[in-house]
Amino acid sequence: MAVNLSVPVASELKPISGLELGYAKASIKKENRKDLLVMRLAPSATVSGVFTRNRFCAAPVRICKTNLEKTHAAGKNIRALMVNTGNANAGTGEAGYQDAVKTSTALAELLDCDPGQILPFSTGVILEPLPVDKILAGLPKAVADLKEDNWLNAAEAIMTTDTIPKAASRTVVIDGKTVTVTGMCKGSGMIKPNMATMLGFIATDARIPQDVLDVMLKSAVDKSFNCITVDGDTSTNDSLILMATGKVDIGISGIYSGHYREMLDVITDLAQELAQKIIRDGEGASKFITILVEEGKSEDECRQIAYSVAQSPLVKTAFFASDPNLGRILAAIGYAGIEDLDIEKLNLYLDDVWVARNGGRNPDYREEDGQRVMKKSEILVRITLARGKASSTVWTCDLSHDYVSINADYRT
């Protein structure tokens, strides 16, 4: 059961002028399930992407990176995205690469564009051949379904072990013009992004030049999808795409132009909501946990400590059981790899409860107070280092029996 998370309302997911979405039930892994998605972009759209750093990256990831680089170099634009669930097309070698080329070529023919203007995405089971024939049969149905107000169906079509679809919208008035940003993502397990998340797609109708969009995406990612972990596993298929259809001109010409920061803040805010939805729907999650590390020398060291705590199986299982065995947090801080950390200056708080003071147990701390906090569904762990002014936040969840059950039987 997702932690304080509900199914988005279709009418609240704002359409983006210049972007159409269509789905099909292609029976890639299961019958009668939305599992194939096509997104068609206006010719004016700019597209930026960040991808997994896993060396065993999937075939579609390799093609996406190549197609983005080549289209940008040639002064062309990406015209469509294609997503299948049920099969990751990872660990499939040259055959898997050619399968992704075949499906991209088929979609390009349907949309009358070049195959290099297609970005393919896959998610699901690794090390299994892509069912190309099913995808080829489903593509005409997905294209026939293309429409701008189709975000909820699209969010459902990219799910795997997610229990609910994840999508959200923002609108903002900039220079007297209404700008819309809508995004969706999927991800529930194998989550520790090293750039993004399992799959994420964010679109705006603003006009944003390609070089500006690239900078904007990397900035937004560092404060959102690069701040989450369910289980510490970085997927082979992680991809996050930011699209700007160019239908609303708000005068952004560079990163120092007047409305750049305003637009970046809106996109970052939406990206953070989507990233947190992944944690709230983490496989088997019953608690949403924020790890805040403050007073560090740098953001990097703060994030390093936060991730060490967030990924500790002992810490995560203690939270699941509401067991205030909080020395586990101190141990995770200690092995985070900050060699010159002065533990005698460190303080640890659990919501409003001061647990550890100057590196030791706070004399006023009572275990029943710690347990009171740990029984909550949303918990803040705050760590102060007394080393500087930097801070960083990571969002995670607990580790439950259900996580083991889901991943012990994932392929069925």
Side-chain angles (χ1 to χ4, degrees), residues 199-219:
L199 290 179
F201 306 96
I202 299 174
T204 178
D205 51 11
R207 181 176 297 170
I208 305 175
Q210 186 64 57
D211 58 341
V212 178
L213 195 72
D214 292 342
V215 174
M216 189 174 285
L217 176 59
K218 288 179 173 60
S219 178

Side-chain angles (χ1 to χ4, degrees), residues 49-216:
V50 286
F51 302 92
T52 182
R53 294 179 182 174
N54 190 316
R55 292 293 297 161
F56 232 109
C57 67
V61 170
R62 293 163 56 200
I63 291 176
C64 281
K65 293 168 73 173
T66 297
N67 287 358
L68 280 170
E69 182 179 350
K70 288 185 175 180
T71 54
H72 294 169
K76 296 182 179 180
N77 290 343
I78 297 297
R79 294 303 313 279
L81 289 70
M82 170 181 57
V83 188
N84 77 267
T85 66
N87 184 294
N89 196 10
T92 49
E94 180 61 23
Y97 187 90
Q98 293 304 322
D99 285 344
V101 170
K102 289 178 187 176
T103 56
S104 297
T105 301
L107 180 58
E109 291 176 355
L110 289 170
L111 300 181
D112 192 24
C113 67
D114 189 279
Q117 294 176 291
I118 304 293
L119 298 182
F121 304 85
S122 297
T123 181
V125 179
I126 299 170
L127 207 65
E128 292 189 1
L130 188 72
V132 174
D133 290 344
K134 291 182 179 181
I135 294 175
L136 296 180
L139 283 175
K141 301 173 186 177
V143 171
D145 185 55
L146 285 168
K147 47 183 175 283
E148 289 184 351
D149 60 341
N150 216 6
W151 278 93
L152 183 56
N153 283 323
E156 292 172 344
I158 64 174
M159 294 167 58
T160 49
T161 58
D162 309 64
T163 65
I164 63 174
K166 303 170 180 67
S169 286
R170 298 283 189 277
T171 57
V172 61
V173 177
I174 298 177
D175 199 23
K177 301 173 183 177
T178 300
V179 176
T180 304
V181 184
T182 298
M184 62 182 172
C185 63
K186 62 80 52 185
S188 195
M190 195 179 277
I191 298 293
K192 188 219 171 170
N194 199 3
M195 44 43 65
T197 180
M198 288 289 288
L199 290 179
F201 306 96
I202 299 174
T204 178
D205 51 11
R207 181 176 297 170
I208 305 175
Q210 186 64 57
D211 58 341
V212 178
L213 195 72
D214 292 342
V215 174
M216 189 174 285

Side-chain angles (χ1 to χ4, degrees), residues 12 113 118 152 171 189 223 243 289 334 393:
E12 295 178 356
C113 67
I118 304 293
L152 183 56
T171 57
K223 296 184 181 301
M243 301 166 275
I289 304 162
T393 301

Side-chain angles (χ1 to χ4, degrees), residues 9 22 45 54 88 100 108 143 155 163 173 178 188 225 238 267 276 284-285 289 292 342 410:
V9 178
N54 190 316
V143 171
T163 65
V173 177
T178 300
S188 195
F225 293 102
D238 288 345
I267 290 173
Q276 289 181 25
I289 304 162
L292 171 61
D342 186 349
Y410 178 75

